[in-house]
């Protein structure tokens, strides 16, 4: 943990049993992490405590992103996307085979809304609507390559994607048709195209 006001190191937090693959924070003095040990951990920085959320997954959790202060979404190597809450130790909603059974390589949320996005190597960026206990498909947008990163713009009008020929953590497969780079996906245009 680093103090941004002074730029000084404060402390190290220990808990994961293996590498941490993703981390996110929002407004409160909290962080959420996911990793190879198949768990999510919510770190309460001032209290120096953590809550452990065991996924029961057969594979690592590649990505985690806050939806709001009490909920977050994860992307798993087993091909699932899950919605979590502080109120339960297991997912409150889960979408297995979110990308036709392919490894889900990235996830993002438009914070404080019901819209999330996920990416893989199946040829599509997928948009999902989250409800209390359900994740519903809203739209899919063709994208060639591994979607290794996703970020919503602040106003929610577009997404920025990090796309590559190979996965961000290894060279298991190569999609030759893909171009390494940044892709901008305008959501307003997608709505117009659907009409």
């Amino acid at each position: 943990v680093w103090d941004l006001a002074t730029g000084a190191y404060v402390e190290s937090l220990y808990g994961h049993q293996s590498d941490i693959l993703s981390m996110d924070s929002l407004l409160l003095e909290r962080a959420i992490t996911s990793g190879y040990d198949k768990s999510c951990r919510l770190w309460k920085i001032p209290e120096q405590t953590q809550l452990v959320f065991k996924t029961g997954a057969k594979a690592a959790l590649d990505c985690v992103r806050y939806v709001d202060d009490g909920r977050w979404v994860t992307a798993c190597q087993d091909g699932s996307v899950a919605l979590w809450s502080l109120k339960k130790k297991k997912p409150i909603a889960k979408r297995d085979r979110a990308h036709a059974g392919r490894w889900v390589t990235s996830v993002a949320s438009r914070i404080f809304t019901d819209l999330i996005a996920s990416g893989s190597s199946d040829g599509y960026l997928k948009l999902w609507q989250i409800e209390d206990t359900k994740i519903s498909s809203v739209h899919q947008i063709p994208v060639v390559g591994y979607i290794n990163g996703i970020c919503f713009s602040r106003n929610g009008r577009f997404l920025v994607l990090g796309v590559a020929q190979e996965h961000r953590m290894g060279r298991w497969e190569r999609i030759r048709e893909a171009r390494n780079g940044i892709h901008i996906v305008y959501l307003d245009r997608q709505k117009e195209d659907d009409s």
Side-chain angles (χ1 to χ4, degrees):
V1 177
W2 292 82
D3 183 333
L4 294 180
T6 63
Y9 167 81
V10 177
E11 67 179 319
S12 293
L13 302 174
Y14 297 97
H16 278 281
Q17 302 301 306
S18 189
D19 297 343
I20 294 173
L21 298 174
S22 184
M23 181 175 162
D24 197 21
S25 63
L26 200 55
L27 301 175
L28 300 176
E29 291 184 36
R30 294 180 178 171
I32 187 88
T33 57
S34 67
Y36 273 123
D37 64 359
K38 305 171 193 166
S39 74
C40 283
R41 292 175 189 256
L42 177 76
W43 304 88
K44 296 179 178 181
I45 308 300
E47 295 91 348
Q48 297 182 344
T49 62
Q50 61 179 297
L51 297 174
V52 180
F53 298 84
K54 298 274 186 177
T55 65
K58 296 175 184 159
L61 295 178
D62 262 9
C63 299
V64 61
R65 291 292 174 263
Y66 269 112
V67 173
D68 55 42
D69 287 321
R71 298 181 305 162
W72 59 93
V73 63
T74 57
C76 187
Q77 290 179 5
D78 70 4
S80 65
V81 173
L83 177 65
W84 298 78
S85 169
L86 276 172
K87 299 175 183 173
K88 288 188 97 174
K89 289 285 190 171
K90 59 184 184 177
I92 58 173
K94 187 174 179 185
R95 188 69 179 239
D96 290 317
R97 299 183 48 82
H99 285 267
R102 302 294 299 235
W103 181 341
V104 182
T105 55
S106 56
V107 70
S109 73
R110 177 138 191 255
I111 57 171
F112 301 111
T113 71
D114 63 352
L115 184 62
I116 62 173
S118 64
S120 183
S121 62
D122 68 339
Y124 294 99
L125 167 72
K126 295 199 176 182
L127 300 176
W128 308 91
Q129 180 181 14
I130 53 174
E131 299 172 38
D132 293 333
T133 58
K134 189 176 174 185
I135 300 173
S136 304
S137 179
V138 174
H139 190 63
Q140 58 183 23
I141 301 159
V143 177
V144 177
Y146 277 92
I147 302 173
N148 287 321
I150 308 171
C151 185
F152 278 91
S153 65
R154 286 188 183 189
N155 62 13
R157 291 189 180 148
F158 63 91
L159 287 160
V160 179
L161 312 178
V163 179
Q165 291 181 339
E166 299 168 342
H167 190 283
R168 68 184 169 95
M169 293 192 297
R171 296 181 143 186
W172 298 286
E173 176 188 26
R174 184 172 183 201
I175 301 173
R176 294 188 187 279
E177 305 80 37
R179 296 193 62 193
N180 296 335
I182 302 292
H183 292 231
I184 308 289
V185 176
Y186 291 93
L187 297 178
D188 293 341
R189 290 185 190 160
Q190 297 299 323
K191 289 178 190 173
E192 291 170 10
D193 291 345
D194 288 344
S195 309

